Amino acid sequence: KATADEWLTVARTAHKLGIKSNASMLYGHIETMEERVDHLLRLRELQDETGGFQTFICFPFLPKHTELGKEVKQTSMWDDLRTMAISRLMLDNFKNIKAYWVMLTVPVAQVALSFGANDIDGTVHKETILHDAGAQSPTALSEDNIIRIIKEAGRTPAACDCNFNILRIIE
């Protein structure tokens, strides 16, 4: 497993070669708040240097089926939303902040659109890995459901390609 410094070196190299990537943070397990902040600061510094990150994704740790499950509680909705908001403020140089509904649940991802997220991810046809880890969200969402969720949050849905280029605005 790569250290944080090794991971940042790989991302820096990829970005210098013109390869875009995503950044993420798994939180809510063994890290301290100071380590969360340090993680975000290091990502912001690398983004300032390379501009190569397309999006940032917050992943709450799902302890249910892990060895830490007896010691670590699931993050609260407020911790998830606070992490999202702080990420948006600290990562002011990231165009996209994703609230991944599969891990957050649909209602939390929907509210996160008012806490700094501008993306809740697209259609998923049958997610099983995170559900094996204890995710409480649906295993799939149709495009129509995602459009409804986004509109209910007072936002305008858009279809994007894998590089976050908007292909069409959905009315």
Side-chain angles (χ1 to χ4, degrees):
K1 181 176 172 172
T3 65
D5 288 333
E6 290 168 337
W7 186 90
L8 290 167
T9 298
V10 170
R12 179 179 290 106
T13 301
H15 297 171
K16 287 183 177 180
L17 292 171
I19 301 167
K20 299 286 186 180
S21 67
N22 299 328
S24 63
M25 179 174 68
L26 179 67
Y27 64 94
H29 47 90
I30 60 172
E31 84 288 351
T32 65
M33 288 298 172
E34 292 79 11
E35 289 168 328
R36 287 190 200 185
V37 170
D38 181 63
H39 185 104
L40 294 171
L41 287 172
R42 293 177 82 173
L43 290 176
R44 182 171 71 188
E45 289 169 3
L46 185 56
Q47 183 71 337
D48 279 343
E49 179 185 334
T50 68
F53 290 120
Q54 295 186 110
T55 192
F56 174 74
I57 312 156
C58 300
F59 291 119
F61 180 65
L62 301 174
K64 188 175 182 180
H65 300 292
T66 72
E67 290 182 24
L68 292 175
K70 292 179 181 153
E71 303 167 28
V72 176
K73 291 183 179 181
Q74 175 82 33
T75 58
S76 70
M77 172 188 69
W78 295 114
D79 190 12
D80 295 335
L81 293 172
R82 183 175 49 246
T83 301
M84 188 71 57
I86 290 168
S87 297
R88 171 52 78 195
L89 292 170
M90 291 187 70
L91 300 177
D92 60 340
N93 55 1
F94 276 65
K95 182 177 179 184
N96 300 297
I97 304 286
K98 184 183 301 256
Y100 189 42
W101 63 263
V102 172
M103 292 189 83
L104 293 170
T105 73
V106 171
V108 175
Q110 187 178 37
V111 173
L113 291 171
S114 293
F115 278 73
N118 66 317
D119 183 6
I120 62 168
D121 211 11
T123 54
V124 174
H125 298 287
K126 186 170 188 222
E127 196 292 319
T128 58
I129 296 169
L130 296 170
H131 286 83
D132 287 346
Q136 299 297 307
S137 59
T139 57
L141 278 182
S142 68
E143 182 177 333
D144 288 342
N145 277 334
I146 290 174
I147 290 168
R148 177 187 53 76
I149 289 162
I150 294 168
K151 286 183 175 181
E152 284 176 359
R155 301 293 188 249
T156 303
C160 300
D161 64 17
C162 63
N163 292 312
F164 293 89
N165 297 307
I166 295 176
L167 302 175
R168 63 182 162 70
I169 302 295
I170 302 169
E171 300 298 329

